[in-house]
Amino acid sequence: MKNKKDKIANALRYNEEQDTAPKVIAKGAGIIAEKIKDLAKDHNIPVYKDEKLSRQLYNLSIGEEIPPELYEVVAEVLAFIARLDNNSTNP
């Protein structure tokens, strides 16, 4: 069971051609959170750290779209990732 001190991680997916909003595709606490972060690192997927957002996303079910009240903050995360992608492809 997750407690307040456990590290948590979530993975989101957003395909503008298929999805109306980003979806939670993985989540976990403790060892599972570490595995999610390791997989992201292994596949060169950027990691964005925001404990408050992570806890809100953790309460969603896998496959669930994020609720409208999280659109703005998740859009900021996606913009951050897009900037990282642009910087890595255009040095």
Side-chain angles (χ1 to χ4, degrees):
M1 180 112 195
K2 177 182 78 70
N3 70 48
K4 191 109 171 131
K5 294 183 181 183
D6 281 342
K7 295 291 182 185
I8 60 173
N10 306 278
L12 298 177
R13 180 196 77 200
Y14 179 62
N15 180 330
E16 62 186 52
E17 295 174 8
Q18 293 179 324
D19 304 324
T20 56
K23 292 181 181 181
V24 175
I25 58 167
K27 67 179 189 171
I31 293 170
I32 301 300
E34 291 302 319
K35 293 215 179 271
I36 291 169
K37 290 188 271 185
D38 288 345
L39 278 170
K41 184 178 177 182
D42 291 347
H43 294 280
N44 296 316
I45 298 170
V47 174
Y48 185 89
K49 296 179 183 179
D50 182 325
E51 186 174 335
K52 183 178 177 185
L53 176 59
S54 290
R55 296 210 176 271
Q56 290 173 306
L57 293 171
Y58 190 83
N59 290 322
L60 300 176
S61 298
I62 293 176
E64 186 176 352
E65 289 184 349
I66 64 165
E69 59 267 20
L70 294 180
Y71 284 3
E72 188 173 337
V73 68
V74 171
E76 291 173 18
V77 172
L78 295 174
F80 166 81
I81 292 168
R83 284 191 301 275
L84 288 177
D85 284 346
N86 286 339
N87 289 341
S88 69
T89 59
N90 298 318

